[in-house]
Amino acid sequence: DQQVKQNSPSLSVQEGRISILNCDYTNSMFDYFLWYKKYPAEGPTFLISISSIKDKNEDGRFTVFLNKSAKHLSLHIVPSQPGDSAVYFCAVIPGRGGSEKLVFGKGTKLTVNP
Amino acid sequence: DAGVIQSPRHEVTEMGQEVTLRCKPISGHDYLFWYRQTMMRGLELLIYFNNNVPIDDSGMPEDRFSAKMPNASFSTLKIQPSEPRDSAVYFCASSPSWAGRAFFGQGTRLTVV
């Protein structure tokens, strides 16, 4: 059973427009949520995170929104650039009391067209 | 800093052979993680270490898989005997004090024929 679900395997947007990547999770006790980006033939790299005590976190063109009641996480990229084309993984740290496991969704492949 | 270094980058082996994947974490990082990526299951955690001690190996699929961290600068993931269904990309990652901002290596693409 998937604890983290990214229901859209792919997304295509035009350069300059907004990209919205979505993620749903199953457990309301999850504490910390992250987004990672992955280019082909490379490992994932950390992008942005949010704690369960917040509902929004911004870093430049990237904003993560957390809706705890809906158990939903989204990543907004504005404006989208061709270099943003990559696979984006939503991840959570599910444990309390010291568990350090990162659990990933299956990813959404974003293509930004020039 | 060179980042997390994994070797080899690619490995092709025959079914039944032993395979050893290697990882050098970033110096000073207390946590080390081994992940496997497949089309079907995505990125799944196999095992992680804290200060060289295995903390959670519940993701290791079978007894054929074993991982060691003999010191703070080196870890291995061994598969013996290997099977075609082990074909995947294996990532090693390290983190200074907490899992969230883990730094990943470039991965080892394993093909078992």
Side-chain angles (χ1 to χ4, degrees):
Chain A
D1 59 334
Q2 281 183 266
Q3 298 181 74
V4 181
K5 294 183 182 180
Q6 293 178 257
N7 292 318
S8 298
S10 63
L11 174 68
S12 184
V13 300
Q14 285 299 119
E15 181 178 5
R17 298 290 191 102
I18 184 171
S19 295
I20 300 177
L21 298 137
N22 294 302
C23 176
D24 296 302
Y25 58 95
T26 57
N27 192 330
S28 58
M29 302 291 282
F30 288 166
D31 273 338
Y32 215 88
F33 307 85
L34 308 97
W35 286 94
Y36 274 74
K37 179 170 72 173
K38 184 184 180 302
Y39 293 117
E42 295 184 12
T45 56
F46 170 79
L47 188 58
I48 192 169
S49 62
I50 188 167
S51 160
S52 59
I53 63 173
K54 294 187 174 182
D55 54 19
K56 178 182 173 182
N57 188 27
E58 277 183 85
D59 184 0
R61 297 184 298 111
F62 302 90
T63 303
V64 57
F65 294 92
L66 177 62
N67 182 333
K68 290 187 287 291
S69 60
K71 288 184 275 187
H72 180 80
L73 187 71
S74 63
L75 175 68
H76 293 208
I77 306 173
V78 183
S80 302
Q81 300 174 353
D84 297 328
S85 297
V87 177
Y88 289 80
F89 292 96
C90 169
V92 301
I93 295 184
R96 290 202 170 195
S99 174
E100 296 293 342
K101 296 169 69 167
L102 259 181
V103 177
F104 287 86
K106 290 192 175 181
T108 296
K109 183 177 182 180
L110 173 66
T111 302
V112 180
N113 301 302
Chain B
D1 198 318
V4 175
I5 299 173
Q6 291 186 246
S7 64
R9 290 293 310 277
H10 301 274
E11 176 81 37
V12 180
T13 191
E14 290 185 348
M15 183 173 64
Q17 296 297 306
E18 177 179 295
V19 175
T20 300
L21 311 181
R22 296 173 175 79
C23 175
K24 178 178 167 52
I26 294 172
S27 177
H29 283 193
D30 293 334
Y31 288 88
L32 185 137
F33 307 85
W34 281 101
Y35 282 87
R36 178 172 69 175
Q37 184 183 24
T38 60
M39 290 292 291
M40 288 296 294
R41 301 175 67 89
L43 264 169
E44 51 179 346
L45 177 67
L46 301 177
I47 185 171
Y48 79 92
F49 296 82
N50 182 15
N51 292 321
N52 312 338
V53 176
I55 302 300
D56 187 337
D57 65 354
S58 59
M60 297 285 262
E62 300 171 35
D63 291 345
R64 299 183 296 106
F65 285 70
S66 63
K68 293 183 179 179
M69 192 165 186
N71 57 62
S73 59
F74 184 65
S75 177
T76 58
L77 178 68
K78 186 176 292 187
I79 309 172
Q80 165 64 18
S82 57
E83 296 182 4
R85 60 195 167 116
D86 301 331
S87 297
V89 181
Y90 291 79
F91 288 102
C92 174
S94 69
S95 181
S97 59
W98 171 71
R101 298 193 186 191
F103 294 78
F104 282 75
Q106 291 186 295
T108 295
R109 180 173 294 277
L110 173 65
T111 303
V112 183
V113 298

